[in-house]
Amino acid sequence: PQWLRFVWLLSCWNTGVVVSDTEADIALTGPDLDATEPIKLASALAPFGMRFGQPPAGFIDIGVDVLSHSDYFDAFAEPSPQEPAWELDGMVVTHEEALTAAGAGNSQRTLASGTSLAHDAHLLVSAIVGGGSLVVVRHGTDEDIQRIVEQERVTAY
């Protein structure tokens, strides 16, 4: 996980784009630049969404072409509850199903580290519904994660 993962999940859901781990029209990748879709977005995964040092050939650099836009968003085509929010791990989950599965949500601070995209999607919806928050840890050792759990007073799922 990385903080941009959650930004992109929310961005997709707010515009009716289905998050998928199979073939898609648009790919979103990190600095490994591993994508074959017609439109390829890449993030250097640097702090503050910084751009690549050298423009990645064949990819749109998120740090240049996306994050340079303002934070204002006005949805022009909001998805319906029955439309898919994601197609991950062989399962299709609609927006309504995601909210139903979240129930009352999670009001706690929750640790997200090294989990699947589907798991992170569930964590995010649950935190939003319950008024909780996520603490995202990337490349943490077991000792790092234990220290962060204690320091941040988070629940690890």
Side-chain angles (χ1 to χ4, degrees), residues 1-9 43-49 112-114 120 136-139:
Q2 211 262 358
W3 67 271
L4 282 173
R5 171 180 275 189
F6 301 97
V7 169
W8 282 99
L9 284 170
S43 172
L45 298 181
F48 306 110
S113 72
D120 283 351
V136 181
V137 178
R138 186 166 178 250
H139 300 305

Side-chain angles (χ1 to χ4, degrees), residues 56-77:
F59 289 80
I60 297 169
D61 186 345
I62 292 169
V64 174
D65 297 309
V66 177
L67 298 180
S68 61
H69 293 275
S70 67
D71 289 340
Y72 176 77
F73 174 75
D74 188 14
F76 54 88

Side-chain angles (χ1 to χ4, degrees), residues 106-112 123 126-128 130-135 154-155:
N106 185 354
S107 61
Q108 301 174 346
R109 292 171 56 81
T110 303
L111 180 77
L123 286 178
S126 185
I128 291 169
S133 61
L134 299 177
V135 174
V154 298
T155 303

Side-chain angles (χ1 to χ4, degrees), residues 39-50:
I39 300 171
K40 298 179 281 230
L41 306 173
S43 172
L45 298 181
F48 306 110
M50 298 294 291

Side-chain angles (χ1 to χ4, degrees), residues 25-129:
D25 296 326
I26 301 171
L28 179 61
T29 185
D32 59 347
L33 304 177
D34 182 23
T36 58
E37 287 75 8
I39 300 171
K40 298 179 281 230
L41 306 173
S43 172
L45 298 181
F48 306 110
M50 298 294 291
R51 62 183 66 185
F52 285 89
Q54 294 290 329
F59 289 80
I60 297 169
D61 186 345
I62 292 169
V64 174
D65 297 309
V66 177
L67 298 180
S68 61
H69 293 275
S70 67
D71 289 340
Y72 176 77
F73 174 75
D74 188 14
F76 54 88
E78 294 181 18
S80 75
Q82 292 75 34
E83 290 181 284
W86 64 81
E87 295 178 10
L88 301 169
D89 300 336
M91 294 188 62
V92 178
V93 177
T94 66
H95 292 273
E96 184 174 48
E97 290 167 338
L99 290 171
T100 300
N106 185 354
S107 61
Q108 301 174 346
R109 292 171 56 81
T110 303
L111 180 77
S113 72
T115 57
S116 72
L117 182 55
H119 182 75
D120 283 351
H122 284 291
L123 286 178
L124 179 58
V125 172
S126 185
I128 291 169
V129 170

